[in-house]
Amino acid sequence: MKLRRGAVKRDCRRVFVALASRTNLGAGDALAYTLENARSLIGVVLIILICWLFSENKRRFPFFLTLGSLAVQAGLVLLLFAIPNSHAVLQGVTSAVDGLADASDKGAQFVFGYLSGGDSPFATTQPDNTLPFVFGFRVLPLILVISALSALLWHWGVLKWLTRGFGFLFEKTMNLGGASALAVAANIFMGMVESPIVIRAYLDKLSRAELFLMMVVGLATVAGSTMVAYAVILGPVLPNAAGHVLVASIISAPAGILLARIMIPEEHKAGTPYDHTTALQYEGSMDAITRGVQDGVMVAVNVAAFIIVFVAFVWLGNNLLAAAQSVFVYWHVIPPETPVVTLQSIFGYVFAPVAYAIGIPWNEALAAGHILGVKLFLTEFIAYIDLGAIPADAMSERTRMILTYAICGFANVASVGIMTGGMTVLMPERRTEIMSLAWKALLPGFLATLMTAAVVAAMPASIFG
């Protein structure tokens, strides 16, 4: 028996080494699996358990969908990171994003001059005589360019066929109806309001569970126009930032599907009819560019407005907390040397256990919890800005990578308002139903990105090398 057991061990090791030789892993790396990786699997279980506790029908738990969703997520991560030359592909994505950012800067510099990254007409403290990174003049113009480019690629059929490909994958592997599968796939590249337009002719035919699923996936993913902006923000502190953001939006879709199905199971077999037509059409290339720019303006204005308002709210909240703390110090309720309490520190303490559960080390969980709280209660844009502002040596690359996945989604308080506003315009007859489901969708939408981060954290760090 001992001899047989030893032979089995040797056979398993040979298989592992063989797999490693076919991927980007070394033999030692393939076997290097730590408790940090395993702990994040507990986070996956907890996330599924939370959604089950809020389920409308706890007896209809989708066991096979759970296994399939996790397999699809893990498979996509391995496909995009572990296969030979995958890092070269992701590096190409990063180079493409850098090229788009440079092109956007050139257009913005023509309008705004040195404020958009050109040479400053006066001396600055920057080594290349440019101004510091100005969000409004560097990121918002990029949203306009990507929005117009996305519309053009849709008109040319590139995004349309990519969307249909992912739609086919979700339809066959997760038992979705054709129309809802296409809407879910569209969410990978478009916003949570734009993607329902793709299946506008079928919106009135969607079941309640399918409508909820579309909302959850919309909150669990991001639009292409903002995706590139996040990558630009994280580029200086995270290698292959563009690749990570792109992968995050793709693999969060299966997580959103699973958690939505757990909370509101489909009572009947999903089968909304679909004939591969779409309501999102352009008259020509110039019409696509024009309407893409117009849509981009709305997105850019919304992003700027929400950031201004929520940053102001944070300052108001911090000032109120400081005033209250000074009163407590004056009345000797707390000692004067008590650290200053801010919303950010509260977020850190509240969400630190969440960060720890998805695989982040405890010594970095407080800083990570702050990022997660900002993402949920403010916006993911502010969370990415805060994450990008953390010096490279102040946070490990692995933690920064996990957080990139954890906050790559529209699931925040402000987005619920945007989503309900857009969907009620498209489906006025289902307004009451939309309003009743919107806030319920926020929880699984937020948890979906955490589940994605936990799945990534469960992988050996060496595959992302």
Side-chain angles (χ1 to χ4, degrees):
M1 177 65 79
K2 285 184 180 178
L3 194 61
R4 179 173 177 78
R5 201 172 288 169
V8 169
K9 278 187 176 181
R10 287 194 298 273
D11 288 343
C12 288
R13 184 178 179 88
R14 276 196 291 267
V15 169
F16 239 64
V17 172
L19 286 173
S21 66
R22 295 172 183 267
T23 67
N24 290 328
L25 296 174
D29 292 333
L31 299 173
Y33 200 79
T34 67
L35 289 177
E36 288 290 328
N37 301 113
R39 176 162 43 80
S40 63
L41 295 177
I42 300 175
V44 172
V45 174
L46 289 175
I47 289 169
I48 294 173
L49 177 62
I50 290 170
C51 288
W52 178 78
L53 291 174
F54 285 94
S55 174
E56 292 186 355
N57 188 344
K58 293 183 175 61
R59 293 182 179 180
R60 291 182 61 89
F61 183 84
F63 290 102
F64 292 110
L65 180 60
T66 300
L67 296 176
S69 175
L70 293 174
V72 168
Q73 283 197 296
L76 286 173
V77 171
L78 292 175
L79 177 67
L80 295 167
F81 284 102
I83 63 173
N85 300 319
S86 60
H87 290 286
V89 174
L90 292 174
Q91 187 59 48
V93 172
T94 301
S95 299
V97 168
D98 290 341
L100 286 171
D102 289 340
S104 300
D105 285 344
K106 296 301 181 185
Q109 288 167 19
F110 184 80
V111 177
F112 301 115
Y114 62 89
L115 294 174
S116 295
D119 292 334
S120 174
F122 46 82
T124 68
T125 57
Q126 300 291 102
D128 53 355
N129 199 39
T130 58
L131 290 179
F133 189 91
V134 182
F135 180 86
F137 296 112
R138 299 292 297 278
V139 175
L140 298 184
L142 181 61
I143 292 176
L144 300 180
V145 174
I146 299 302
S147 180
L149 182 61
S150 298
L152 187 61
L153 291 176
W154 179 269
H155 175 67
W156 287 348
V158 178
L159 280 184
K160 193 178 297 183
W161 283 106
L162 278 174
T163 300
R164 287 176 180 172
F166 278 106
F168 180 81
L169 173 67
F170 296 142
E171 183 177 1
K172 298 303 179 183
T173 60
M174 298 190 174
N175 195 32
L176 299 184
S180 56
L182 186 69
V184 166
N187 271 305
I188 296 174
F189 307 104
M190 302 176 185
M192 56 189 169
V193 176
E194 294 91 338
S195 56
I197 298 176
V198 176
I199 59 164
R200 188 168 188 171
Y202 306 97
L203 292 178
D204 60 333
K205 302 179 182 68
L206 296 180
S207 67
R208 181 170 179 271
E210 287 179 311
L211 179 61
F212 181 70
L213 184 147
M214 189 168 63
M215 288 181 169
V216 172
V217 176
L219 291 171
T221 53
V222 294
S225 55
T226 54
M227 193 188 302
V228 177
Y230 305 149
V232 170
I233 293 171
L234 290 182
V237 292
L238 180 66
N240 280 332
H244 286 300
V245 173
L246 174 63
V247 174
S249 189
I250 293 174
I251 66 175
S252 287
I257 293 170
L258 170 63
L259 300 185
R261 279 287 186 256
I262 292 174
M263 288 188 64
I264 303 185
E266 183 64 69
E267 297 300 327
H268 307 286
K269 178 176 172 60
T272 306
Y274 174 59
D275 60 6
H276 292 283
T277 59
T278 173
L280 185 57
Q281 301 284 354
Y282 299 105
E283 297 298 325
S285 297
M286 185 52 66
D287 180 51
I289 295 172
T290 301
R291 289 169 58 186
V293 170
Q294 292 170 346
D295 292 341
V297 168
M298 289 191 294
V299 173
V301 169
N302 275 328
V303 167
F306 276 110
I307 288 178
I308 290 170
V309 170
F310 280 106
V311 168
F313 281 177
V314 168
W315 278 93
L316 287 174
N318 287 343
N319 288 337
L320 290 174
L321 289 172
Q325 188 172 351
S326 63
V327 171
F328 288 140
V329 170
Y330 178 79
W331 289 104
H332 305 290
V333 177
I334 57 176
E337 61 273 12
T338 302
V340 177
V341 177
T342 63
L343 287 175
Q344 289 91 331
S345 64
I346 294 174
F347 289 155
Y349 284 110
V350 170
F351 286 94
V354 178
Y356 182 72
I358 63 174
I360 292 174
W362 184 249
N363 64 319
E364 295 182 314
L366 199 63
H370 152 66
I371 300 295
L372 294 177
V374 167
K375 189 263 183 182
L376 178 60
F377 291 103
L378 303 179
T379 70
E380 78 288 341
F381 246 114
I382 298 176
Y384 272 117
I385 292 171
D386 287 354
L387 180 60
I390 299 175
D393 57 352
M395 178 178 282
S396 68
E397 184 179 314
R398 178 176 180 271
T399 294
R400 202 183 300 269
M401 181 188 68
I402 294 172
L403 284 174
T404 298
Y405 288 83
I407 63 178
C408 191
F410 284 140
N412 57 66
V413 174
S415 291
V416 173
I418 297 172
M419 180 178 66
T420 53
M423 286 193 169
T424 50
V425 170
L426 294 172
M427 296 173 278
E429 72 283 355
R430 304 186 72 169
R431 178 182 177 85
T432 302
E433 193 175 18
I434 291 169
M435 299 302 291
S436 67
L437 292 175
W439 285 107
K440 190 168 187 173
L442 180 60
L443 175 64
F446 178 65
L447 292 177
T449 55
L450 295 182
M451 181 174 167
T452 295
V455 170
V456 169
M459 299 287 180
S462 52
I463 73 170
F464 303 102

